[in-house]
Amino acid sequence: MNRVTWRLFPESEGAAPYILLTNLLIPIYFLLREPTSMQWLGFVLLGLFVILFRQFYYTSKWALHIIIVQVAITLILGAVFHPMYTFVGFLIANSLSKQKLPILISISILFAIGMGAIVVPYVGHAGPELWIGLLPPLFGVSVMPFIIRASMQYKQMAERLEAATVQVERMAQQEERQRIARELHDTLGHTLSLIALKGEVVEKLVKRQPEKAAREASEIRETARAALKQMRELVTEMKVAYFVDESHHAISLCSAAGIPMEFNYRSVSDPSPTAYVERDVIENISLPLTPLQETILAMCFRELITNVVRHSRAESCKVHLDIQEGEVRVSVSDDGIGIDPEQVSTSSNGMAGLRQRLVLVDGRISVSSSSGKGTEITIHIPRTIRDERVGTI
């Protein structure tokens, strides 16, 4: 049986609600100076205000009713005790900013009118300290919600713009893939058909005319090498993807999915691993790879992070970048539901596609996983590609 941990405020809200509660210090200070016979009423009203303040974070259905009661309590405190008690109005600003604009305008105007009615008895004999002291609560309820609302709208517009930009980039990448697919079909299709035809000829000549079969086999080898070189040149023409950029994207993606990501980095020049690498440190990481190698690595890394977010049901994720003398390794591990390594090639998680990409740079992929115990997938890319002409390192 799972135990539900009681919280004063939702964990997702962070420290903001607790900071807002500090606005209670001023009314509490004045309340402690009131006659004992009146203190109980003040503390009851403040207690009810705090209960409603907390309830707002858990009950969206009654949000407007809660805000109206809080505004009423604020004005009652100011009218019964002292106008400085309206400092509790700062606690309403954030919740008020989330209401519809007509409601926001109406409550702000009514609060300003109420404040005006409260200070009428003080006109003529109150000092400048009172009038200066009333400006913050009036600003907190009648002005700040509009500022918070505008800030939230700006943030949402920025997020939508970023999402649209990402979508455009994805569409451009998809178009580029389709173009490359057409070129592969047009330019390499004929070459591969020629290799297949010559293979049939060699098969027929190998016993009757061995010398001619050897010449045909030699031509097959040269044709295959030319095709491999042509394919690598074609892939190199693709827009270069950088591992650093994909790392930033991975951090943002995992954060949006609520999956904490720990980034570890180790290099042959500095064997001690560095955990929880900051974004500015990642920015300075330089990989000893060719543009083609780094593009393949970045694309594969993107696919692994996408799998973690979409399929793993993980609560945390770790990324290990290890630069060794002979290869660059990137491991992505999670604590999710795991996968069956024997079924990786036939599954829909794109592993077969990763292997096909890595073949272009003599790379490989290793999987360690079991059902219910998470998954660790490592990309291995050698720092040197075999030469297609002589077949050596």
Side-chain angles (χ1 to χ4, degrees), residues 33-328:
R33 302 176 65 180
E34 297 287 345
T36 306
S37 59
M38 294 293 292
Q39 286 183 0
W40 68 269
L41 176 61
F43 280 114
V44 168
L45 290 173
L46 283 179
L48 177 60
F49 187 95
V50 172
I51 291 173
L52 293 173
F53 176 71
R54 177 186 181 272
Q55 198 63 24
F56 179 85
Y57 290 92
Y58 295 97
T59 307
S60 58
K61 181 179 179 181
W62 301 99
L64 178 58
H65 300 81
I66 290 174
I67 291 174
I68 293 174
V69 175
Q70 286 180 309
V71 171
I73 291 174
T74 303
L75 294 175
I76 291 172
L77 285 169
V80 174
F81 294 98
H82 191 275
M84 296 302 292
Y85 283 77
T86 55
F87 253 87
V88 297
F90 271 100
L91 280 75
I92 310 174
N94 184 54
S95 54
L96 188 57
S97 67
K98 300 177 181 178
Q99 303 305 306
K100 295 180 179 179
L101 188 58
I103 296 175
L104 173 57
I105 294 174
S106 301
I107 293 179
S108 298
I109 294 175
L110 290 174
F111 182 83
I113 294 173
M115 286 286 290
I118 289 173
V119 300
V120 167
Y122 297 88
V123 175
H125 60 84
E129 296 84 2
L130 175 63
W131 307 113
I132 295 174
L134 289 177
L135 290 177
L138 188 61
F139 173 81
V141 178
S142 297
V143 179
M144 183 177 288
F146 292 95
I147 298 176
I148 297 175
R149 182 185 181 88
S151 176
M152 292 172 58
Q153 289 178 341
Y154 175 80
K155 182 180 179 181
Q156 291 172 356
M157 288 178 59
E159 290 176 349
R160 287 196 293 267
L161 179 61
E162 183 179 0
T165 302
V166 171
Q167 184 65 23
V168 170
E169 290 178 354
R170 298 293 183 191
M171 291 175 63
Q173 291 173 358
Q174 184 63 27
E175 270 192 42
E176 181 69 6
R177 292 191 185 101
Q178 292 176 354
R179 182 189 69 80
I180 292 172
R182 289 193 298 269
E183 285 212 29
L184 285 173
H185 179 271
D186 295 340
T187 59
L188 297 182
H190 173 73
T191 304
L192 294 176
S193 299
L194 179 61
I195 290 175
L197 181 60
K198 283 184 171 292
E200 294 176 1
V201 173
V202 170
E203 186 179 5
K204 295 177 180 179
L205 295 178
V206 68
K207 293 183 179 179
R208 293 180 297 171
Q209 302 180 32
E211 294 181 358
K212 187 174 182 180
R215 289 195 300 271
E216 293 289 344
S218 177
E219 290 183 11
I220 291 176
R221 181 184 59 190
E222 295 301 325
T223 303
R225 286 173 175 169
L228 179 59
K229 181 179 179 180
Q230 188 178 19
M231 182 173 60
R232 283 180 172 167
E233 289 175 349
L234 181 61
V235 174
T236 304
E237 291 177 1
M238 296 169 58
K239 181 181 178 181
V240 177
Y242 296 99
F243 180 77
V244 168
D245 295 337
E246 290 303 324
S247 298
H248 293 333
H249 175 70
I251 294 173
S252 301
L253 183 61
C254 289
S255 176
I259 303 176
M261 191 181 94
E262 175 185 328
F263 193 100
N264 297 270
Y265 169 64
R266 182 171 62 182
S267 174
V268 65
S269 58
D270 183 13
S272 57
T274 303
Y276 298 104
V277 178
E278 300 293 338
R279 281 178 178 256
D280 56 345
V281 178
I282 296 176
E283 193 75 33
N284 295 324
I285 294 177
S286 178
L287 300 182
L289 300 174
T290 66
L292 173 60
Q293 288 176 307
E294 185 163 1
T295 297
I296 297 297
L297 175 63
M299 293 169 65
C300 292
F301 177 65
R302 179 196 305 167
E303 183 74 23
L304 295 183
I305 294 296
T306 302
N307 283 344
V308 170
V309 172
R310 288 183 178 176
H311 308 300
S312 71
R313 303 180 194 171
E315 296 183 359
S316 64
C317 173
K318 293 183 179 180
V319 176
H320 296 263
L321 171 61
D322 193 359
I323 300 177
Q324 296 297 316
E325 290 282 1
E327 68 175 9
V328 173

